[in-house]
Each structure stands twice: as C-alpha cells, then as structure tokens.
Amino acid sequence: MLTEERYATILRILNEKKAVTVLDLTRALDASESTVRRDLTALHKSGRLYKVYGGATSIDNNYTSAEEDMKTKNDLFPEEKIAIARKAAGMIKRKDFVYIDAGSTTLHLIDFLTETSAVFVTNGMQHAAKLAAKGFKVFIIGGAVKAVTEAVVGTEALNNLKCYNFTKGFFGTNGISPKSGFSTPDADEGTIKSAALARCKNAYVLADQSKFNKISPITFAHISSATIITGRLEDKKYRDYTTVIEGE
C-alpha cells in the first residue's frame, strides 16, 4: 500500500471511530508498527490528526460532553494509566494529607501506595473501599452519589471540603487545553474538583494522552493551577503553561 493510501485509510478509520491504537492500524493496514508510527507522526505534523501515546485521535474530536462509566474508563489506555499512577504514588511522602479525586487513573494510584503514615480523603466510592481494604486511614466526603462515575457530589460534599487543608491532591480530568484548562462534562462534579483542588498545597492532574487537546463543558481549574502527570507527551506546548511530569 502506498503512503498516501495508508494516510487515507488512517483518516477514514479515525473519522469513523474518533480514536485508534497503533495495534489496530497495523492490522488494518497490514503494515509494521514502525511504519504506522511514522505515518501518524507525519499526519500529526500536517495537522490532520492528534498523535497520542499508543495511537491517535481525530482532529475534530476535541469537544466532548460524553461521560463513560467506570468500567469503560478502566478499559481505556490501561498501560499508560498504570505508568501514570505509579509515578503519582511515588510523590506521596510521610505525613502527607492527601485528596484523591474519583476517576479511573486515580483508582490505579492506590495500587502503588506504600506510605502508611499518609492520611487520605476521597469522593470516590471505589477509592474509599480500596484504600480501606489496603489498611490506609481514609475519609470519604458525604453527599449525593453520581452513578456513572461513582463520585460523591453536591452541596453536602462541598461543605465537607471546607474543613480540609491538603498537602497534595490527585485529580482526574476529561479534557485539557491551554485555553479551557482542565474540564469535565458534569457541573456538580466540576464544582467538587474545583473546591478540592483549591484546598491543595500541591495539585496534580493525572491524564492519559486521550485527554489532551480536549474540551468538556465545565472548566474546573486553570491549566497553570496543577502539575500534569501523563505518559509520553507528544504535544510539547503544554510545558509552556504548567509543569508536566511524564510517567515511565
């Protein structure tokens, strides 16, 4: 298959699926992984798609109001999320008072925690159960439960946060862009994220490559308000706006 034919096929698949992995493309094109990666790099540089860690997303797929459930989220970019979570967990030190936001990548973070003197607060139902099962001291804020993400939200949750002062906080996001900052589809969840982040001495947003150059309806924080922990960042412009730490 000629180069331009591969390009056309890649763009057609992206138009249909909005996101695709390198493995998917090697099968569809009957091409080597190195060839596919070169094609994605060329198409990224020409502005026809966004190259992300392990694949690519459609250039017109930058606005999304959809919210997947936790099971679906856990199945997306698992290797990158695990690398991000491992890097984030290593930042928790002795006597830290830590907020962990609901989300699939922040849930992975708990697997790598070793600092038993740290205390945790979360609005994630799964997160609280997992922390408790591992023997960590954990508090869950009260309020209404959002079924899709299993996050605690609402006025009561917001009031609970007012008494806390966190040394570190780890947050999920649905979108990151220089103009719109960190964003999420749900206003209630966005309010909780914003309030918790504002009470952190050091805030970190954990984001796989599918979250970059994306905008959701509700901005919960300016891009400079948190350090981004991600996998391999292709789009280097984000370093102009905030600190970026790449997972291994």
Side-chain angles (χ1 to χ4, degrees), residues 11-225:
L11 294 172
R12 176 181 55 77
I13 293 171
L14 270 179
N15 186 54
E16 294 171 357
K17 295 185 174 182
K18 304 304 179 186
V20 68
T21 67
V22 170
L23 181 59
D24 290 338
L25 291 175
T26 59
R27 293 169 177 167
L29 299 169
D30 191 24
S32 68
E33 184 176 316
S34 59
T35 296
V36 169
R37 291 188 184 279
R38 282 197 302 271
D39 288 348
L40 293 182
T41 298
L43 289 167
H44 175 86
K45 288 180 178 178
S46 66
R48 288 190 275 177
L49 57 71
Y50 286 122
K51 185 181 178 185
V52 300
Y53 184 76
T57 61
S58 172
I59 199 76
D60 62 356
N61 192 34
N62 68 324
Y63 187 90
T64 177
S65 59
E67 180 76 276
E68 296 90 357
D69 60 30
M70 282 293 287
K71 184 181 184 304
T72 301
K73 287 182 177 182
N74 282 329
D75 291 339
L76 298 172
F77 305 98
E79 292 182 4
E80 186 181 6
K81 287 179 177 179
I82 288 169
I84 293 167
R86 183 185 291 111
K87 177 69 71 173
M91 296 181 175
I92 297 173
K93 306 301 181 185
R94 188 172 180 272
K95 300 296 184 180
D96 267 338
F97 186 45
V98 181
Y99 182 81
I100 300 182
D101 181 35
S104 57
T105 310
T106 54
L107 187 63
H108 282 300
L109 181 155
I110 298 167
D111 294 328
F112 300 101
L113 293 177
T114 58
E115 185 46 72
T116 56
S117 70
V119 177
F120 299 91
V121 177
T122 184
N123 74 322
M125 301 290 286
Q126 285 192 48
H127 300 61
K130 196 170 185 178
L131 283 161
K134 292 192 69 175
F136 291 103
K137 187 173 183 179
V138 55
F139 298 89
I140 185 167
I141 60 176
V145 178
K146 181 184 172 187
V148 174
T149 58
E150 300 178 34
V152 179
V153 297
T155 303
E156 186 177 347
L158 193 60
N159 288 334
N160 281 180
L161 285 169
K162 291 178 181 178
C163 66
Y164 293 125
N165 299 295
F166 305 110
T167 58
K168 295 184 176 78
F170 298 87
F171 297 84
T173 189
N174 294 71
I176 306 175
S177 81
K179 181 178 179 181
S180 299
F182 304 111
S183 57
T184 186
D186 185 84
D188 288 337
E189 198 158 354
T191 299
I192 298 302
K193 288 175 183 287
S194 181
L197 193 147
R199 304 199 71 84
C200 295
K201 182 179 179 182
N202 296 290
Y204 303 88
V205 170
L206 281 52
D208 64 70
Q209 292 299 299
S210 69
K211 308 300 174 59
F212 289 87
N213 300 307
K214 293 288 183 65
I215 300 171
S216 283
I218 307 298
T219 292
F220 65 87
H222 189 273
I223 193 169
S224 64
S225 63

